[in-house]
Amino acid sequence: MAKQTNTSSKNVKKKTTGKTKKNSKNSKTEKKVNVKKLKVTAVIILLVGVLLIFSSYAWFSHNLNVRIKTFNMIVSENSGLEISFDGINFGTELEISAETLIDELVRTYPNNTSQWASMGLRPVSSNGITNHNSQYFNIFFSGNGVQYPSLDLEDGYIYTEVAAETERREYNSYIAFDLFFRNDTGSPVDDNVFLAEGSEITIDERADEEMIGLLNSIRVGFVKIGTTSLDASVNEIQNVRCNNNCYSLIYEPYSTAHTNLSIERALKYNVNLVNGEYFDTYAFKRPGGPIYVENTVSGSPNLDMNYFELQETMTENEIDQPLFTVPNGITKTRIYLWIEGQDIDSLETDSSGADLEISLGFVKDTAGYDTFNQD
């Protein structure tokens, strides 16, 4: 019996020893797994850190959510001026949306190159057309965001590209479309077209201060392309080209408005911003890179002038100046709406999302016609 007990005891010990070894192996495996988990966690934390720093530069980020709630254009009734998306169906008011520009317009204007921002507007940069034979704005964007040469996340740099508008796009960073003006008042000279009083771009009243900073960076661009006769064919109207006389203009509706947050952030780049005072914007003039982030801030002494030039705009105080002239006939133009990333008010913004409401009115004078009649 004693022998059996001892044998039994041995077996137990052996079993116990075997189990201990197995547990020891499991423990080592668990430690390895835990080490891997820690490494993975560290990588995730590092990536999150990169994303947080990346998103702090509004103009290079992809997480902005500035949506268009309503967008309409109107012209004064009984002025002899009408507007159209396709050069066929004219009226005094147009509602602008992805449905009208992307889904419906192709039926009557097959080769239109409308751009819509279904995922929200994101900052880009533009100084208008580059020559009088171009009907498209040069729109610059940074597709890859901020890149860093080392893990210490210093000396971030970007490369920029020029957007191509060779086809319709529903998911873009900005909005662009053709707009036709029909003028049939019979004026012997070209009539002036102005932005009407009451034209405005407003933001949801619940928007935070960062979003209001983006509102202050909004731009509206106009390209006057050319004019054809009132009885021209649809093909002639829709395919009007520049003929080396295209003209562009940029409207800046909030040129002197700066939030306290924008003022505070600008100081980090040695830029003194004063609410109520105009501040120059230097937009991109050519693509390329690398351009270091610290050398991209408008107004900064480090601004790299190899890539930037002063953006000339018509401000809200100059709304009494004409946008362009239209003779008797049908004039083709192109309209742009974007957030100007080089505007000082879009510096270091992380969007929480907001809706914009846009209403642009056009009014035409008949000064030339009236003068002619008096003579």
Side-chain angles (χ1 to χ4, degrees):
M1 291 290 292
K3 195 171 182 181
Q4 289 176 354
T5 304
N6 287 340
T7 303
S8 179
S9 227
K10 261 185 190 177
N11 289 338
V12 170
K13 281 183 184 175
K14 281 181 182 177
K15 286 178 183 176
T16 305
T17 304
K19 192 173 184 180
T20 303
K21 285 180 180 177
K22 193 173 182 180
N23 287 341
S24 177
K25 285 180 181 178
N26 288 341
S27 178
K28 287 179 180 178
T29 303
E30 286 176 5
K31 283 182 180 177
K32 286 180 180 178
V33 170
N34 287 336
V35 168
K36 285 181 180 178
K37 283 182 178 177
L38 286 171
K39 286 180 178 178
V40 171
T41 303
V43 171
I44 290 172
I45 290 171
L46 179 60
L47 288 175
V48 170
V50 171
L51 289 173
L52 287 174
I53 291 177
F54 171 80
S55 66
S56 67
Y57 297 99
W59 144 212
F60 313 120
S61 75
H62 296 278
N63 66 335
L64 299 180
N65 193 17
V66 184
R67 301 172 299 272
I68 305 300
K69 184 177 180 180
T70 61
F71 190 172
N72 64 73
M73 291 187 167
I74 59 174
V75 292
S76 300
E77 293 186 16
N78 304 319
S79 65
L81 190 66
E82 293 180 308
I83 51 178
S84 169
F85 286 138
D86 57 13
I88 304 169
N89 303 291
F90 285 89
T92 57
E93 184 169 357
L94 293 175
E95 292 289 336
I96 304 162
S97 66
E99 184 179 7
T100 55
L101 290 182
I102 306 299
D103 300 333
E104 298 175 358
L105 186 56
V106 68
R107 299 170 194 163
T108 55
Y109 187 6
N111 62 333
N112 82 82
T113 53
S114 300
Q115 309 294 310
W116 188 256
S118 284
M119 297 296 288
L121 294 169
R122 295 170 181 167
V124 292
S125 185
S126 182
N127 237 323
I129 61 176
T130 55
N131 62 71
H132 294 299
N133 218 25
S134 172
Q135 65 186 47
Y136 297 109
F137 269 36
N138 262 12
I139 302 283
F140 294 90
F141 67 98
S142 177
N144 296 320
V146 181
Q147 301 175 53
Y148 297 92
S150 63
L151 292 178
D152 60 9
L153 303 179
E154 294 292 332
D155 298 326
Y157 61 88
I158 62 162
Y159 285 87
T160 60
E161 307 169 50
V162 179
E165 295 180 26
T166 55
E167 59 184 5
R168 291 181 306 282
R169 286 189 62 193
E170 181 178 352
Y171 299 93
N172 210 329
S173 300
Y174 60 96
I175 293 171
F177 55 90
D178 295 337
L179 187 67
F180 298 86
F181 287 82
R182 187 175 190 274
N183 183 25
D184 64 354
T185 52
S187 175
V189 297
D190 293 357
D191 295 321
N192 294 308
V193 175
F194 303 82
L195 275 177
E197 292 290 340
S199 295
E200 60 181 1
I201 301 173
T202 57
I203 198 167
D204 190 325
E205 61 183 14
R206 294 166 295 180
D208 59 30
E209 195 172 2
E210 286 190 315
M211 293 307 302
I212 294 171
L214 285 180
L215 175 67
N216 294 340
S217 304
I218 286 285
R219 301 288 192 275
V220 182
F222 303 89
V223 184
K224 179 186 173 183
I225 299 172
T227 302
T228 188
S229 65
L230 292 169
D231 58 358
S233 69
V234 172
N235 184 62
E236 289 174 320
I237 294 168
Q238 293 180 349
N239 289 287
V240 168
R241 294 291 182 261
C242 289
N243 196 25
N244 206 33
N245 60 357
C246 270
Y247 159 82
S248 72
L249 180 144
I250 298 174
Y251 174 54
E252 184 179 0
Y254 296 102
S255 65
T256 61
H258 313 293
T259 67
N260 290 331
L261 194 57
S262 294
I263 293 170
E264 178 186 329
R265 286 172 168 168
L267 283 174
K268 292 194 296 184
Y269 296 91
N270 298 314
V271 174
N272 293 312
L273 202 57
V274 179
N275 187 34
E277 292 185 7
Y278 178 79
F279 191 86
D280 287 336
T281 294
Y282 285 83
F284 267 85
K285 66 180 179 181
R286 68 182 181 90
I291 313 161
Y292 289 94
V293 171
E294 66 176 10
N295 299 331
T296 65
V297 180
S298 290
S300 165
N302 298 320
L303 187 65
D304 187 346
M305 296 306 294
N306 290 313
Y307 290 95
F308 303 97
E309 66 182 2
L310 182 65
Q311 184 186 70
E312 296 183 5
T313 64
M314 184 182 84
T315 70
E316 68 275 29
N317 297 321
E318 300 167 319
I319 201 170
D320 58 342
Q321 296 182 13
L323 298 172
F324 46 80
T325 60
V326 290
N328 237 43
I330 297 175
T331 299
K332 182 181 180 181
T333 69
R334 190 163 178 84
I335 311 296
Y336 286 85
L337 178 82
W338 76 99
I339 296 173
E340 176 53 61
Q342 284 300 115
D343 189 296
I344 196 69
D345 294 288
S346 68
L347 184 69
E348 293 192 13
T349 301
D350 189 4
S351 167
S352 58
D355 293 339
L356 293 181
E357 295 188 27
I358 304 159
S359 180
L360 298 178
F362 299 99
V363 62
K364 183 195 75 172
D365 69 12
T366 55
Y369 184 78
D370 293 341
T371 303
F372 181 79
N373 280 343
Q374 288 173 3
D375 293 344

